[in-house]
Amino acid sequence: MSKKVLITGGAGFIAHHVIDKMLRETDWKITCLDRLDISGNLNRLHDMLQDHDSKMVSSRLRVVFHDLKAELNEMIVKDIGEIDIILHLAAGSHVDRSIEYPMEFVMDNVIGTTNLLQYARTIKNLKKFVYFSTDEVFGQVLDGSFTEHSPLQPRNPYSASKAGGEELAVAFENTYKLPVFISHTMNVFGPRQHPEKYIPMCIRKVRDNDTVYIHSDNTMTIPGSRFYIHGSDVADAIYFLLNLNEEQLKLVYKPDFGGAKCPKFNVVGKEEINNLQLAKYIAECQNKDLKYEMIDFHSSRPGHDLRYALSGEFMKSLGWQPKYTLRERIKEVVDWSLKNPDWINV
């Protein structure tokens, strides 16, 4: 049967890739809940939907305006209608801004998540509530990688607020038996990302022969590194989780170190790359030399972490990993961005 899915932050960067995936591969009806601020951009949805049949879109996708800092009142709930699945992607996600305005992130990521969880409790026969967390809740790791059940050690207000939302989701699963899944996603990139983010910024600066500044350690010799992952691969992972055989999952899943049974999943790119290597490859894709400077962001900007790393072995054991290499995905995004310059221009 066709499912009815509520996606919060549906006009945001990651969520619009999830919507694209569902429109292409399911007959599900989708409600996008968004407050349409700097992160939620209807132009992003409009641009993506040009590749879909307009009649199909109009019958399956609708947008409801709401800011989750406020409870979902009766009118909003009625407007949303019946729901089988909730994907909670709405969040404040800018580390710099969280350092300057921490309460904004508490309101968005802790209070907002609680309001949505409270609404989820009212839904009869809810099939799944997926909370999109982040690798940053685990903090920095200089060697090795974190598993799904490593202790949370957030190091800035953004990651602390996401950790707070995650713990609330786990608590609602434990206390109220909400069918919660938690996903930890690493640095996501792809078409229509905000131009301030590292990869679109690098593409633009290389194109314009500008200097790319590389986040490094205090010796300015070791660049920061990440496991980058394409938005379409994140969407593919979420679709995989929504179709997971939960009886099979119970056989292989181990409860959290504190005894919480809420399943958690790391959604990770195939390979680690440091930001200098990445910038050089972006330049190579444009047949240009890279102009760059190493700068010590880590010491001058407290709360910024040099290296994040998650283990993707659990998802791999269940049968999912990205289908394409990082270099294939980067080349694809560079080519797309150069053909669609409005999305990388500031």
Side-chain angles (χ1 to χ4, degrees):
M1 293 179 62
S2 178
K3 294 182 174 67
K4 299 179 178 66
V5 184
L6 175 66
I7 300 180
T8 69
F13 169 61
I14 298 177
H16 96 285
H17 284 288
V18 176
I19 291 173
D20 184 35
K21 171 82 173 179
M22 291 184 176
L23 289 175
R24 292 181 187 281
E25 301 197 16
T26 76
D27 62 352
W28 300 354
K29 294 186 182 298
I30 303 163
T31 298
C32 161
L33 190 73
D34 207 300
R35 68 183 181 195
L36 303 178
D37 61 357
I38 190 171
S39 299
N41 185 344
L42 280 180
N43 290 326
R44 182 179 283 122
L45 279 178
H46 178 270
D47 190 69
M48 177 271 287
L49 292 172
Q50 299 308 299
D51 294 333
H52 294 271
D53 177 79
S54 59
K55 290 185 179 179
M56 179 273 291
V57 170
S58 63
S59 67
R60 292 180 51 200
L61 175 64
R62 51 196 300 272
V63 177
V64 174
F65 175 82
H66 181 70
D67 188 335
L68 283 169
K69 290 197 294 290
E71 295 181 9
L72 283 74
N73 60 41
E74 290 183 5
M75 292 182 62
I76 294 295
V77 171
K78 183 177 180 181
D79 201 10
I80 291 172
E82 295 183 2
I83 291 296
D84 300 306
I85 295 168
I86 296 174
L87 305 181
H88 182 32
L89 289 91
S93 61
H94 195 292
V95 173
D96 284 345
R97 188 168 180 82
S98 80
I99 292 171
E100 190 169 359
Y101 304 105
M103 187 55 72
E104 286 188 12
F105 286 75
V106 172
M107 295 300 295
D108 284 342
N109 299 342
V110 180
I111 302 301
T113 296
T114 306
N115 283 332
L116 188 68
L117 287 164
Q118 285 284 72
Y119 158 70
R121 289 178 58 200
T122 70
I123 300 175
K124 293 182 179 179
N125 302 316
L126 181 68
K127 303 290 191 301
K128 194 64 59 193
F129 183 111
V130 181
Y131 176 80
F132 280 67
S133 191
T134 169
D135 56 329
E136 296 191 39
V137 299
F138 298 110
Q140 175 174 266
V141 59
L142 298 181
D143 295 296
S145 56
F146 293 117
T147 70
E148 282 78 0
H149 298 311
S150 296
L152 305 190
Q153 303 177 88
R155 289 160 48 94
N156 58 62
Y158 159 65
S159 57
S161 67
K162 287 297 292 181
E166 176 174 336
E167 290 297 284
L168 280 161
V170 171
F172 270 63
E173 190 277 341
N174 184 64
T175 305
Y176 307 110
K177 308 308 176 188
L178 274 184
V180 174
F181 275 6
I182 306 287
S183 71
H184 300 118
T185 304
M186 293 207 65
N187 296 65
V188 185
F189 70 97
R192 307 177 194 90
Q193 190 169 26
H194 195 287
E196 72 179 5
K197 299 299 184 180
Y198 185 71
I199 288 177
M201 178 271 292
C202 278
I203 296 171
R204 179 181 70 253
K205 288 196 169 188
V206 169
R207 180 198 65 186
D208 298 340
N209 298 310
D210 289 339
T211 300
V212 176
Y213 295 99
I214 308 295
H215 171 195
S216 67
D217 71 339
N218 58 11
T219 69
M220 289 181 285
T221 59
I222 301 175
S225 64
R226 304 287 187 263
F227 285 78
Y228 288 92
I229 183 169
H230 194 282
S232 294
D233 295 321
V234 174
D236 186 61
I238 297 307
Y239 184 59
F240 173 86
L241 290 177
L242 292 176
N243 290 282
L244 195 62
N245 183 322
E246 294 206 35
E247 293 304 315
Q248 177 186 0
L249 176 63
K250 290 176 182 178
L251 297 176
V252 297
Y253 190 78
K254 297 179 181 179
D256 209 335
F257 60 89
K261 298 178 181 179
C262 175
K264 299 183 179 183
F265 308 88
N266 291 344
V267 178
V268 185
K270 271 192 170 183
E271 59 196 275
E272 182 173 10
I273 189 170
N274 73 50
N275 286 330
L276 178 56
Q277 293 171 325
L278 177 57
K280 286 181 176 178
Y281 183 60
I282 287 172
E284 180 184 325
C285 290
Q286 299 187 53
N287 297 313
K288 291 194 172 189
D289 293 325
L290 177 68
K291 294 170 59 178
Y292 73 93
E293 181 180 338
M294 304 281 276
I295 54 177
D296 175 17
F297 274 145
H298 184 60
S299 296
S300 62
R301 301 166 76 192
H304 284 258
D305 298 322
L306 190 66
R307 179 179 183 265
Y308 296 119
L310 299 182
S311 169
E313 288 303 307
F314 182 58
M315 283 288 284
K316 188 175 179 180
S317 74
L318 293 174
W320 184 88
Q321 61 179 327
K323 298 181 178 69
Y324 302 94
T325 67
L326 176 63
R327 293 176 78 85
E328 288 174 312
R329 285 300 203 187
I330 292 292
K331 179 66 165 63
E332 172 190 318
V333 171
V334 170
D335 291 346
W336 184 93
S337 299
L338 296 177
K339 291 176 183 176
N340 297 271
D342 288 347
W343 284 101
I344 59 170
N345 293 336
V346 176

